[in-house]
Amino acid sequence: MTNWLSSAAQRGEAIHDWLAPRRQASLRLLQESQWPTRKTEAWKYVPINVWERAELSTAVASNIEAEPIEGLNSFDIVIRDGQLQADTLAAAWPEGLQVLPLASAEAARLDWAQATFAQVKPERHLFGLVNDVLATDGLIIDVADGARIERPLRIVNIVNGGSEAHARVLVRVGSGAKVSIVEHYVGNQLSQSTGFAEYSIGTDAELEHYRFALQSGEAMHIGGSHFDLAERATLTSNLVAFGSRLSRVDMDINHKGEGAKALLNAIYLLDGKELFDLHSNIEHAVANGTSEENVRGIVADNSRAVFNGRIHIHRHAQKTLAELNNRNLLLSDRAEINTKPELEIYADDVRCAHGATVAEIDKKAMYYLQSRGIEREQAQIMLNFGFINELVDDMPNAVLAEWLRPQLRQRFAAMEVK
Amino acid sequence: MLSIKNLQVRVEDKTILKGLNLEVKPGEVHAIMGPNGSGKSTLGYTLSGRPGYEVEGGSVTIDGADLLELEAEDRARAGLFLAFQYPVEIPGVSNMEFLKAALDAQHKAQDKEPMSSRDFLQAARAACKQVNLPAEFLKRGVNEGFSGGEKKRNEIMQMLMLQPKICILDETDSGLDIDALQVVANGVNSQRSPERSFIVVTHYQRLLDYIKPDFVHVLSDGKIVKSGDSSLALELEQQGYAWLQDQPAPAGEE
């Protein structure tokens, strides 16, 4: 163990809240863990040492405000530097929706929360363990069986400069229920944060999910969204990520009941010296599940993207349909992409497809646009948009898609073809 | 309007145009015919500023200004339009977005007010209709999955919208059936005016039955070797291009 890990474990040992008994297993695993090196497969392309070396005391202070998204009409709940801002909880929630601070007596009485904590996310993700051990605050969301919640819930997770923050979100979507949840992460100054969310999606339930991993600059963030799908559950998940000094997101989708459907669309856009690492893992443990995963990335300048997409089809998961594709656009010779689809198939009657491509900007397309009077910079922005438009258009919530576009445009405008 | 003098162009290691001269005045339609490999497409690409087409000598001016100094987008803004022989597919960028961006860019360069979305949509639909392209094509990715004929009609549709001063049609007739050919020709003819000029590059005389040129030039081995009126096109149709081999360059050309 290194200093950072042992300090995390020590701090974790001193926590005695209602989740403490649930944290014990993670604490033991953390105490046995080694700091990853370049030889550690799961962290191979990520210079994880910047995390340990970070001197938060030198950080530039920041005070980011949570701006509402116009037209979204969402319940906005703010977690600032790992602390739930209780004043952002609504005075009254729609029928069938319960939202509680993780650190509350009521939360402690929820059996499902006890049973979900640390059970959906993978056991051995190093920073998942850190979050298990150190996240004492966060949010609990319960959508009752059959409840259809019209207004989206947006969790704005702000990490300001100089902070170390660990937040946890637990969500239960009851049988036949429907809800839309946006995890929105921001922060641009030197900070260290982990943010993990675990979702249990019930029989015939529907979850529309967004993770906007928009940390940038010096903000270091490692987190994940993890989903258990019961019978015929439907998940539509949309990830949009900008890179930062260190940024990693894990998305795990576990088909636990037959006939569930999952769609994961992910976009990452990197510039400068940014880094972003996406690990996705889809477990088809039972038969008749469907999963589709579309991952697109644009990397400019000196940035680096890592994508590791694993699909694991268990022996009894017959009639599984699983598709995974990862397409990347490389805008500079110095930018780097490490992409690795991993298929493990142990059932014989399945349909499974995967592919990964890395391309450069299409010079003929560029010339075609210019030949119509469109200047080079704008042509570039249009081609970048063209690469990801499909996934933005695909977002079930058009307000969120339209809210994103100007931000994407700004990103693209800063990117150069080299 | 467009003045090409002794134009010499190299692509990679090969010199393709070897001293081409052409004067195009407002309102004129010039046809350029010639065998494969004579440099017909090179002319269009060079004029529109395609990267990789190195001008080794000569000059091209548009309304007196040096065209070759301009970036591809500025040539378009100066009023030049090339209808591509092989229009490029751009998935994810809708035809409509593309057209609006092009039109806005050109209007801006000409200090004109941008077109309102409503006027734009109306004009774009009308242009589609004129070339017999369903309006749904505006929503599709630029040329994405279009048939050969649809791509050509999409080029003419863009021309109708952009209202260029000088239009170069690069083998717009290739791969078109007779109905599509008529649609394309009608589109072009509707745009003929005393201010607008056309350079119609083609391998076959067929298109010129519909778009009647004022002048016909024969391009061979990178030079114009013979010029005449529209009867020259018929002559070529009957005789083919083989006789060109022994043809001396006309006086005044190197």
Side-chain angles (χ1 to χ4, degrees):
Chain A
M1 278 221 297
T2 62
N3 287 339
W4 199 91
L5 284 184
S6 60
S7 134
Q10 271 167 25
R11 283 182 283 152
E13 269 180 303
I15 296 170
H16 301 287
D17 63 357
W18 63 279
L19 283 169
R22 319 295 308 176
R23 299 186 211 272
Q24 283 307 312
S26 299
L27 185 61
R28 274 194 299 277
L29 284 171
L30 187 64
Q31 283 163 341
E32 292 163 11
S33 297
Q34 298 297 317
W35 191 253
T37 68
R38 283 296 170 103
K39 286 180 186 159
T40 313
E41 188 61 28
W43 297 94
K44 197 168 170 182
Y45 300 105
V46 180
I48 190 73
N49 286 340
V50 300
W51 178 282
E52 209 192 14
R53 283 204 304 265
E55 289 185 35
L56 293 181
S57 59
T58 65
V60 175
S62 57
N63 193 12
I64 299 167
E65 291 298 323
E67 304 282 344
I69 294 176
E70 208 186 309
L72 186 62
N73 190 29
S74 53
F75 291 106
D76 289 353
I77 304 154
V78 178
I79 297 174
R80 182 182 292 280
D81 297 328
Q83 306 300 311
L84 177 75
Q85 306 298 291
D87 59 346
T88 60
L89 294 176
W93 301 100
E95 200 179 327
L97 177 65
Q98 188 181 27
V99 180
L100 298 169
L102 187 86
S104 68
E106 285 163 290
R109 287 194 289 270
L110 295 175
D111 290 343
W112 72 261
Q114 300 251 4
T116 304
F117 183 85
Q119 298 305 303
V120 184
K121 59 180 257 312
E123 190 185 51
R124 285 193 177 268
H125 186 301
L126 181 63
F127 288 83
L129 295 174
V130 168
N131 189 278
D132 285 350
V133 166
L134 292 179
T136 51
D137 208 347
L139 209 54
I140 296 215
I141 299 170
D142 184 69
V143 185
D145 292 354
R148 321 282 285 183
I149 308 300
E150 297 296 329
R151 287 176 68 182
L153 275 82
R154 186 168 70 114
I155 305 162
V156 189
N157 195 317
I158 299 168
V159 180
N160 287 302
S163 292
E164 181 188 330
H166 307 280
R168 186 59 154 262
V169 175
L170 299 174
V171 179
R172 185 186 82 99
V173 187
S175 300
K178 188 181 174 190
V179 68
S180 169
I181 295 179
V182 182
E183 293 179 56
H184 183 173
Y185 295 83
V186 285
N188 52 27
Q189 296 299 337
L190 181 60
S191 57
Q192 287 176 320
S193 62
T194 65
F196 286 82
E198 294 182 286
Y199 295 85
S200 169
I201 312 172
T203 306
D204 295 311
E206 265 180 72
L207 172 66
E208 183 183 315
H209 172 262
Y210 301 83
R211 187 174 181 122
F212 297 140
L214 305 185
Q215 298 93 348
S216 57
E218 294 293 300
M220 292 188 267
H221 180 83
I222 300 174
S225 299
H226 312 278
F227 310 89
D228 274 356
L229 275 61
E231 275 177 274
R232 297 180 304 278
T234 305
L235 166 68
T236 310
S237 180
N238 302 271
L239 170 72
V240 178
F242 297 165
S244 70
R245 186 170 184 183
L246 175 67
S247 177
R248 171 167 168 165
V249 172
D250 282 48
M251 305 285 280
D252 289 78
I253 299 171
N254 307 313
H255 286 256
K256 298 217 157 156
E258 286 195 24
K261 274 170 101 166
L263 170 66
L264 170 59
N265 284 340
I267 299 168
Y268 46 84
L269 310 171
L270 316 184
D271 200 2
K273 288 182 175 175
E274 292 168 353
L275 177 111
F276 178 69
D277 180 342
L278 171 61
H279 271 61
S280 72
N281 181 33
I282 301 185
E283 294 282 347
H284 282 279
V286 294
N288 298 309
T290 304
S291 63
E292 181 185 335
E293 198 177 346
N294 303 300
V295 181
R296 306 249 170 106
I298 303 179
V299 291
D301 200 11
N302 239 325
S303 64
R304 171 187 274 187
V306 181
F307 173 62
N308 190 294
R310 180 172 179 261
I311 298 176
H312 180 191
I313 303 179
H314 298 235
R315 194 157 60 93
H316 299 296
Q318 300 295 4
K319 308 280 183 196
T320 290
L321 297 179
E323 278 177 41
L324 159 66
N325 72 76
N326 172 226
R327 289 171 52 193
N328 296 285
L329 190 58
L330 207 57
L331 299 190
S332 121
D333 291 344
R334 288 174 302 160
E336 198 174 316
I337 301 202
N338 306 100
T339 173
K340 185 172 151 196
E342 263 183 86
L343 260 55
E344 286 178 44
I345 305 174
Y346 300 100
D348 50 19
D349 185 15
V350 300
R351 265 177 43 208
C352 201
H354 72 98
T357 60
V358 180
E360 289 175 11
I361 205 86
D362 182 348
K363 292 202 174 70
K364 271 194 295 191
M366 194 81 173
Y367 158 60
Y368 189 65
L369 293 176
Q370 286 177 277
S371 81
R372 296 300 184 246
I374 298 167
E375 66 185 33
R376 195 182 162 78
E377 291 73 18
Q378 199 194 346
Q380 173 65 50
I381 292 173
M382 287 174 78
L383 292 178
N384 280 338
F385 260 115
F387 196 73
I388 56 149
N389 255 337
E390 198 185 347
L391 300 190
V392 179
D393 290 342
D394 239 18
M395 288 185 180
N397 192 318
V399 175
L400 285 175
E402 288 322 304
W403 171 77
L404 268 174
R405 281 185 202 280
Q407 302 188 60
L408 304 181
R409 181 172 298 278
Q410 209 177 4
R411 265 248 121 185
F412 291 148
M415 289 179 170
E416 282 177 55
V417 180
K418 286 180 187 166
Chain B
M1 173 170 262
L2 187 76
S3 175
I4 305 174
K5 293 206 168 80
N6 193 27
L7 183 63
Q8 297 153 52
V9 176
R10 180 169 52 88
V11 182
E12 287 170 358
D13 295 338
K14 207 172 165 207
T15 301
I16 312 276
L17 296 184
K18 301 173 179 171
L20 186 143
N21 293 286
L22 186 66
E23 288 289 334
V24 181
K25 297 201 170 65
E28 291 179 351
V29 176
H30 291 249
I32 294 183
M33 302 182 70
N36 290 329
S38 58
K40 298 195 298 292
S41 289
T42 299
L43 177 61
Y45 286 142
T46 305
L47 295 180
S48 78
R50 181 174 177 168
Y53 287 70
E54 296 286 334
V55 175
E56 291 187 302
S59 68
V60 181
T61 58
I62 182 164
D63 295 332
D66 186 352
L67 183 79
L68 302 174
E69 278 293 300
L70 302 177
E71 297 290 331
E73 58 265 41
D74 294 323
R75 298 179 191 202
R77 292 165 183 188
L80 188 105
F81 179 90
L82 171 67
F84 282 54
Q85 184 181 3
Y86 302 108
V88 181
E89 295 198 18
I90 312 181
V93 177
S94 78
N95 227 357
M96 187 134 64
E97 181 195 348
F98 163 57
L99 212 51
K100 183 80 165 73
L103 209 56
D104 284 352
Q106 299 209 10
H107 283 172
K108 196 176 158 197
Q110 293 151 11
D111 279 330
K112 284 193 209 158
E113 285 292 303
M115 219 176 197
S116 75
S117 297
R118 193 159 157 256
D119 291 348
F120 167 76
L121 201 61
Q122 222 163 28
R125 286 200 181 121
C128 281
K129 197 169 177 198
Q130 202 179 332
V131 295
N132 211 2
L133 210 57
E136 291 93 273
F137 277 66
L138 290 169
K139 291 184 188 158
R140 286 174 54 179
V142 176
N143 295 315
E144 188 184 5
F146 290 20
S147 72
E150 287 161 353
K151 283 179 182 167
K152 297 296 176 71
R153 280 183 275 156
N154 199 33
E155 294 291 290
I156 300 303
M157 194 270 282
Q158 293 169 38
M159 186 189 84
L160 295 175
M161 288 295 286
L162 295 172
Q163 298 279 304
K165 277 195 272 189
I166 179 144
C167 313
I168 305 159
L169 309 182
D170 186 10
E171 304 213 16
T172 300
D173 53 335
S174 68
L176 292 188
D177 63 26
I178 202 76
D179 293 336
L181 194 70
Q182 272 178 343
V183 166
V184 164
N186 289 341
V188 171
N189 288 331
S190 76
Q191 295 300 297
R192 287 181 76 157
S193 82
E195 297 84 40
R196 188 173 289 123
S197 317
F198 291 85
I199 298 174
V200 181
V201 175
T202 182
H203 189 76
Y204 299 105
Q205 188 267 338
R206 197 175 62 151
L207 180 66
L208 305 179
D209 286 342
Y210 299 97
I211 304 173
K212 212 152 167 51
D214 301 309
F215 303 95
V216 175
H217 310 277
V218 181
L219 186 63
S220 176
D221 194 25
K223 286 182 183 182
I224 287 175
V225 293
K226 197 171 165 81
S227 296
D229 60 17
S230 58
S231 65
L232 178 57
L234 288 168
E235 202 178 311
L236 288 168
E237 180 79 354
Q238 283 156 14
Q239 300 182 9
Y241 291 108
W243 58 274
L244 285 172
Q245 306 293 335
D246 328 304
Q247 194 75 11
E253 292 194 13
E254 299 282 317

